Amino acid sequence: MNDKVTLPKSWQNKFKSEKLKDAIADIGMWFQAPDPMSVEGRARLKRNEAIFLLAESLSVDYAFEPNENGDFELIPASVEHQGIGFSVSSVLEGVELDVYFFPCDYSEDSRRKLPPYSVRVPVASTANIECVKECVEQYFSMYKDKRIASIPFSFSRVATLEGNFIDDFAKTRKICKDAVAGGEEYEIENCKRFLEFIKSAGIV
């Protein structure tokens, strides 16, 4: 069974990186999406071009996952490192920073009923690709054989959490609040919303 789809030649010629082309052609990225050779599929490729250009410029490893918008989510290469993702901005021509992770991977609390689905929450957007690249390369390179989540509250304020952080709310709250201490109001609000979510996630 072929695990790659065929991408339009005209689109492939825009990029030099074979790694990038292979990652985008992965059949998993096109499950329940229009064929990349169709008008809708070409439009999807065009819509995500900012993310592809960002990925091609990186010196660190990366991966893609399809998000709920049908767009490409740029994420750390290791499944042991979650929390931070980048997608095409829905509010301006540029890139969006997202909280992106699977809560079920960070809890062993039997009281919680966490489905095997990802959570994606936009945090900030910018057209400054250099700013985004700096953030990606700093945090995507952090994985050191530990299960971690880099939770962003802005491009410059990110909390690094380890293991089953959802199950130790007091510790997680301290790390997150320390990350936004002295920050702008929107960073503090992003932190507050994240903490409110994990405090009750999966508890029915």
Side-chain angles (χ1 to χ4, degrees):
M1 180 178 174
N2 192 353
D3 61 352
K4 302 291 180 186
V5 299
T6 301
L7 300 173
K9 283 287 185 185
S10 59
W11 182 89
Q12 290 191 55
N13 292 337
K14 294 181 179 181
F15 303 97
K16 295 179 181 178
S17 170
E18 292 302 320
K19 170 184 166 53
L20 175 67
K21 295 175 188 178
D22 282 348
I24 294 167
D26 188 291
I27 197 167
M29 293 303 304
W30 296 91
F31 180 68
Q32 294 186 331
D35 187 280
M37 299 297 283
S38 69
V39 172
E40 296 85 356
R42 289 170 187 265
R44 184 180 186 228
L45 288 170
K46 178 65 177 175
R47 187 172 70 248
N48 285 272
E49 197 164 294
I51 286 296
F52 303 149
L53 290 169
L54 170 62
E56 189 167 52
S57 73
L58 298 175
S59 62
V60 295
D61 206 2
Y62 61 85
F64 289 118
E65 279 195 7
N67 63 35
E68 78 283 0
N69 290 343
D71 289 325
F72 285 67
E73 193 79 22
L74 180 70
I75 57 173
S78 171
V79 296
E80 296 292 306
H81 184 186
Q82 300 178 29
I84 189 168
F86 299 85
S87 57
V88 62
S89 175
S90 58
V91 296
L92 51 80
E93 286 192 14
V95 172
E96 187 169 83
L97 170 66
D98 304 317
V99 170
Y100 185 91
F101 75 114
F102 288 76
C104 61
D105 290 342
Y106 294 91
S107 173
E108 292 182 353
D109 187 342
S110 60
R111 297 172 303 165
R112 295 180 187 267
K113 307 303 179 188
L114 295 167
Y117 302 130
S118 63
V119 167
R120 174 180 169 272
V121 180
V123 170
S125 297
T126 183
N128 184 345
I129 297 302
E130 283 305 309
C131 165
V132 180
K133 183 179 175 182
E134 182 179 328
C135 184
V136 173
E137 297 204 331
Q138 178 180 354
Y139 290 101
F140 278 29
S141 62
M142 286 183 65
Y143 176 68
K144 302 293 182 185
D145 297 324
K146 290 183 179 178
R147 186 160 47 98
I148 64 172
S150 300
I151 304 296
F153 306 119
S154 70
F155 285 102
S156 60
R157 294 185 182 270
V158 178
T160 301
L161 307 169
E162 294 186 11
N164 294 319
F165 68 84
I166 292 177
D167 299 341
D168 191 343
F169 184 75
K171 181 179 179 181
T172 296
R173 178 175 56 191
K174 183 180 187 311
I175 293 170
C176 291
K177 288 195 169 185
D178 285 349
V180 297
E184 296 185 34
E185 185 61 30
Y186 83 96
E187 295 168 324
I188 294 169
E189 282 300 310
N190 284 338
C191 175
K192 181 180 178 181
R193 283 193 290 270
F194 173 73
L195 291 173
E196 287 174 348
F197 167 73
I198 64 164
K199 188 175 184 178
S200 59
I203 295 178
V204 294

